[in-house]
Amino acid sequence: MADITIDLGGAAALAEARHGDPFSILGPHDGQVRALLPGATGVEAISNGTAHRLTQVHDAGLFAGPVPPGPYTLRIDWAGTVEETEDPYSFGLLLGEFDLHLLREGTHQDIAMCLGAQPMEVDGIPGVRFAVWAPNARRVSVVGDFNSWDGRRHPMRHRVEAGIWELFIPRLTPGAVYKYELLGPQWNLLPLKADPFAWQVEVPPATASVVADIAAIPKPRPWNRPSPQDGQPVSVYEVHASSWARGDGDVALGWEELGDKLIPYAVEMGFTHLEFLPIMAHPFGGSWGYQPLGQFAPHAPFGPPEHFARMVERCHEAGLGVILDWVPAHFPSDPHGLAMFDGTPLYEHADPKEGFHKDWNTLIYNLGRREVRNLLIGSAVHWLERYGVDGLRVDAVASMLYRDYSRNPGEWVPNMYGGRENLESISFLQELSRVIAERCPDRLLIAEESTAFPGVTRKPDDNNGLGFDFKWNMGWMHDTLEYMERDPIHRRHHHGQMTFGLVYAFSEKFMLPLSHDEVVHGKGSLIGKMPGDEWQKFANLRAYLSFMWTHPGKKLLFMGGEIAQHREWNHDRSLDWHLLDDPKHAGVQRLVRDLNRLYRGLPALYQRDTSPDGFAWSVIDDASNSIFAYLRFGNEGEKPVLVVCNLTPVPQQAYTVGVPVAGAWQEVFNSDAGIYGGSNMGNGGVVQGAEESSHGQLASLTLTVPPLATIILTPA
């Protein structure tokens, strides 16, 4: 037998799983093949049909022996079970220089197809290529059921120039469960880490990553998606996927069953988009998805990635757009996640004054690090392109923009100029919007931003804008809800809360949100916020929703609001669909459906949402009667729309309102109609306008304005 030469020190390091360059020892070397296979009782290298028995040269399972040059396989005897496979250490470099260059720059926009677990063929051999960023680790191994979670079996090659570790494991197939085992910079063994770039994960509370069958995920089909321009109707139904409806045994529905029920419902209700609370993989359901760890993987309890892709496709087939809540502001500190990923603060800031959210007990992404930005922008592109979703609603933007967000003096670090603005986050958001505008120009980017930060919906190159298509109008929501919660007898003293939103309504492109945040944490339900007896509560809610649907700005309503659910939303329970047996609740549902249809059918209600010439007050100063009247205008040739709101329980007879033209005006909507549960007071369908100027308009209407109601009229 030929001499077997091997570095005994290196062999010992391999055996102790502390060798950072396994390819320097394992695989083919100078006419020998070396394999570390702990637990094997015998190994042969098969070359050109000939078996060459390898000798065990270390008790830990290191085998070596002479083998002719060329391709070979390993025949491994696992104590009576024989496996034949290619040697992972016989393959060359996997990632190309251009990939490494882009990763190093932080500009690899297809990072989801580069890092993580990628089923593929290498040199004609099927298997899975693993790649992960861990620049400060001493050693990284892929571990899973396929190697008994033994970190000695599959240590990875370090591509030092980019801090990437890579390995191709032949014959491994989709469905394999895996994690990464890392030695930190101090040679310390870290908790097993899930793959930050995994396309699929285990169902919690299990925490491992899963090799996804990427080829089984259908590619998005082209469809005539709604334009992101503000001249289109956008009415969003916000949904928490696991509590919209529950299945037998009170369990969450999967994407297929949910789609069977939710899609036709949203279409029947007239919404243009579904928006899901974050469906990215998250370890704790009680976070509603707002503490994600898998920025590339759909949440496992709803089904595999291909089921989510089919859900999006079905929405498109039904004419519904899909928006996902997306969280680039922070992440949880679970030990299997991103925290101290390679033994250093890699994805987070080292200084807790920059890197820890006290409010949420989470870690803040270090957006000054280009590789971290690359992960997040790659995630955004992944959902928009690979799954074909129509928009992202970026969560907690305010917390990203300011270094002193929710911090007391001395608890935050100023920027390089001594200010409170988070320059790195601002730059990140601008880069995000530029990338999406270039690669996905027909998709929406929406900001949940609660401050007066200027230019949220301006283009990044336009006076330092952030580049969002729309911004949630949190001020409008807080002011108007606070007004509606007041007893009508006191509303006259707070009239400005309903009108103030028009002072700044055209400073940004706004979306009006009645979101999940308003029906949790002791805030009660929408119907529960309304004052008065039961009839007044429902009348108030109907009038308020009608006010919202006719106010400038796109619309968003959280599930349950459309059926006037009494109780506060509970993420572990289905909506109370049985309430629809009550005509009052069914009336609110019908009202929302009719508002959506009216909204989409009257261009004056959406075409000039962001332009001051699309709105005019007719009655703004009638605080004593708590009446508001305003006009909406569309593009040239479209009919104007008159909206009159009476927010007291006192009906108004012969009430004069200014309008731009005389003649017949049709009452096309009345929230007090009997079909909605109202008193059926109104104007008999048509009102004749007089050529008598009023409220700055050339003509006027004399109306009956029902109690706690909103009416809508257009020229007949």
Side-chain angles (χ1 to χ4, degrees):
M1 184 177 67
D3 291 339
I4 299 173
T5 58
I6 194 165
D7 173 14
L8 295 180
L14 278 175
E16 296 167 10
R18 54 180 176 84
H19 201 296
D21 186 13
F23 280 82
S24 66
I25 295 180
L26 300 178
H29 289 276
D30 301 323
Q32 293 185 27
V33 166
R34 305 163 186 164
L36 182 65
L37 299 163
T41 55
V43 181
E44 294 176 320
I46 313 300
S47 174
N48 295 320
T50 302
H52 303 269
R53 187 164 187 83
L54 305 186
T55 302
Q56 185 167 345
V57 297
H58 194 285
D59 291 344
L62 181 62
F63 293 81
V67 177
Y72 66 93
T73 60
L74 296 177
R75 183 183 293 157
I76 309 164
D77 186 346
W78 300 105
T81 301
V82 177
E83 173 192 12
E84 187 166 333
T85 184
E86 291 75 17
D87 184 357
Y89 300 93
S90 66
F91 294 89
L93 300 177
L94 301 173
L95 294 180
E97 290 301 320
F98 188 57
D99 281 323
L100 294 179
H101 169 73
L102 294 177
L103 291 168
R104 193 165 53 245
E105 275 193 337
T107 57
H108 203 309
Q109 294 173 12
D110 295 312
I111 197 169
M113 294 298 295
C114 181
L115 300 185
Q118 305 290 332
M120 61 174 57
E121 288 189 0
V122 175
D123 298 337
I125 308 301
V128 179
R129 184 193 73 195
F130 295 89
V132 65
W133 180 57
N136 303 302
R138 297 284 189 171
R139 187 262 302 168
V140 181
S141 298
V142 185
V143 295
D145 291 336
F146 50 85
N147 61 16
S148 301
W149 300 89
D150 188 339
R152 297 171 296 174
R153 284 283 307 280
H154 289 109
M156 305 174 79
R157 174 191 277 120
H158 192 191
R159 306 296 297 274
V160 180
E161 63 271 36
I164 302 294
W165 299 77
E166 64 177 19
L167 186 70
F168 178 70
I169 301 182
R171 307 295 170 179
L172 198 63
T173 58
V177 175
Y178 72 100
K179 283 186 176 181
Y180 294 115
E181 182 182 277
L182 298 90
L183 282 184
Q186 306 305 318
W187 301 97
N188 51 315
L189 187 64
L190 305 177
L192 293 182
K193 294 291 187 178
D195 188 347
F197 295 90
W199 287 45
Q200 188 172 350
V201 299
E202 286 189 299
V203 176
T207 59
S209 305
V210 178
V211 177
D213 188 357
I214 294 175
I217 302 173
K219 293 184 178 179
R221 298 177 184 175
W223 82 292
N224 186 25
R225 61 171 41 86
S227 168
Q229 304 303 316
D230 55 21
Q232 296 295 321
V234 177
S235 178
V236 179
Y237 187 48
E238 188 190 29
V239 171
H240 179 249
S242 69
S243 62
W244 182 78
R246 308 278 282 188
D248 294 339
D250 197 33
V251 298
L253 299 176
W255 289 120
E256 294 179 322
E257 301 94 332
L258 182 63
D260 290 342
K261 297 181 179 182
L262 174 59
I263 293 172
Y265 177 79
V267 170
E268 171 63 20
M269 289 297 294
F271 290 99
T272 65
H273 292 75
L274 289 174
E275 178 177 326
F276 290 103
L277 273 62
I279 57 87
M280 297 79 192
H282 48 279
F284 175 52
S287 76
W288 316 329
Y290 289 103
Q291 295 192 10
L293 277 180
Q295 289 283 19
F296 296 82
H299 195 44
F302 303 139
E306 55 266 31
H307 287 189
F308 174 69
R310 177 59 184 150
M311 175 73 173
V312 175
E313 186 176 68
R314 291 175 66 187
C315 287
H316 290 171
E317 290 169 351
L320 282 172
V322 177
I323 299 169
L324 301 182
D325 282 10
W326 183 66
V327 188
H330 60 119
F331 60 91
S333 58
D334 299 59
H336 70 278
L338 298 178
M340 298 292 287
F341 188 80
D342 64 355
T344 68
L346 191 64
Y347 288 94
E348 68 271 37
H349 293 270
D351 187 343
K353 290 183 177 181
E354 295 184 279
F356 184 72
H357 263 308
K358 295 188 303 178
D359 294 354
W360 305 315
N361 289 319
T362 53
L363 300 172
I364 299 171
Y365 285 105
N366 182 355
L367 295 176
R369 194 163 200 165
R370 55 185 179 270
E371 296 92 344
V372 176
R373 294 162 72 119
N374 202 172
L375 172 135
L376 291 169
I377 291 176
S379 167
V381 170
H382 177 69
W383 296 105
L384 295 172
E385 288 192 342
R386 193 62 183 82
Y387 291 98
V389 304
D390 303 277
L392 300 174
R393 197 278 288 179
V394 182
D395 180 65
V397 171
S399 76
M400 301 174 68
L401 294 177
Y402 296 102
R403 288 174 163 266
D404 63 346
Y405 179 86
S406 195
R407 296 179 186 272
N408 297 317
E411 295 179 346
W412 58 281
V413 179
N415 64 33
M416 60 188 294
Y417 302 111
R420 57 193 287 261
E421 294 80 10
N422 191 320
L423 303 179
E424 295 82 4
S425 290
I426 292 169
S427 171
F428 163 76
L429 292 170
Q430 291 171 330
E431 181 183 357
L432 171 71
S433 66
R434 287 191 188 99
V435 170
I436 291 176
E438 178 183 342
R439 293 189 57 142
C440 315
D442 54 353
R443 314 302 166 87
L444 293 169
L445 192 62
I446 304 164
E448 184 211 16
E449 204 284 309
S450 56
T451 75
F453 188 91
V456 172
T457 56
R458 286 201 304 264
K459 298 299 181 186
D461 299 321
D462 179 11
N463 197 21
N464 208 33
L466 295 184
F468 286 90
D469 293 292
F470 298 109
K471 168 181 170 173
W472 274 17
N473 194 336
M474 311 293 281
W476 174 90
M477 178 271 298
H478 285 299
D479 287 346
T480 59
L481 271 181
E482 188 173 278
Y483 176 93
M484 292 303 300
E485 290 182 44
R486 300 181 189 278
D487 189 295
I489 199 171
H490 300 302
R491 287 176 177 170
R492 66 182 65 187
H493 305 297
H494 304 275
H495 198 72
Q497 287 186 298
M498 296 295 272
T499 62
F500 181 65
L502 270 302
V503 173
Y504 60 87
F506 311 111
S507 61
E508 299 275 9
K509 297 176 182 178
F510 282 118
M511 179 173 284
L512 310 181
L514 291 179
S515 75
H516 65 281
D517 280 329
E518 309 320 309
V519 292
V520 292
H521 300 321
K523 296 177 185 177
S525 62
L526 284 182
I527 188 70
K529 299 178 194 297
M530 301 297 123
D533 58 25
E534 186 175 53
W535 188 93
Q536 291 181 342
K537 284 180 178 292
F538 279 88
N540 270 299
L541 181 58
R542 294 193 304 267
Y544 178 55
L545 290 173
S546 305
F547 169 77
M548 170 182 171
W549 251 258
T550 55
H551 191 286
K554 307 312 178 187
K555 324 301 174 189
L556 179 138
L557 181 66
F558 183 58
M559 64 183 203
E562 84 280 12
I563 63 171
Q565 177 165 294
H566 284 298
R567 67 172 174 83
E568 186 174 89
W569 170 55
N570 182 336
H571 63 269
D572 287 327
R573 285 180 57 185
S574 169
L575 295 182
D576 294 336
W577 294 107
H578 63 275
L579 293 175
L580 293 176
D581 294 334
D582 184 332
K584 296 187 297 298
H585 293 272
V588 174
Q589 184 192 47
R590 181 169 183 171
L591 174 127
V592 172
R593 182 190 65 195
D594 289 353
L595 282 171
N596 270 327
R597 292 176 177 174
L598 193 71
Y599 169 61
R600 296 172 78 168
L602 293 176
L605 293 179
Y606 61 78
Q607 283 183 339
R608 295 158 83 174
D609 260 343
T610 61
S611 175
D613 58 8
F615 178 91
W617 283 109
S618 183
V619 179
I620 187 177
D621 57 355
D622 191 0
S624 60
N625 291 308
S626 296
I627 285 186
F628 309 85
Y630 47 91
L631 292 154
R632 298 295 310 276
F633 301 99
N635 296 335
E636 186 175 352
E638 300 290 354
K639 292 181 179 181
V641 171
L642 172 68
V643 182
V644 185
C645 305
N646 177 7
L647 297 181
T648 75
V650 180
Q652 296 292 328
Q653 304 286 350
Y655 193 90
T656 300
V657 177
V659 291
V661 294
W665 283 67
Q666 182 181 4
E667 188 177 72
V668 295
F669 176 86
N670 183 345
S671 72
D672 191 49
I675 57 173
Y676 305 135
S679 63
N680 227 18
M681 181 181 290
N683 294 278
V686 177
V687 179
Q688 196 66 31
E691 293 184 356
E692 297 179 6
S693 62
S694 180
H695 301 104
Q697 299 294 327
L698 297 176
S700 59
L701 298 177
T702 300
L703 301 171
T704 296
V705 188
L708 294 173
T710 296
I711 59 174
I712 303 173
L713 301 97
T714 63

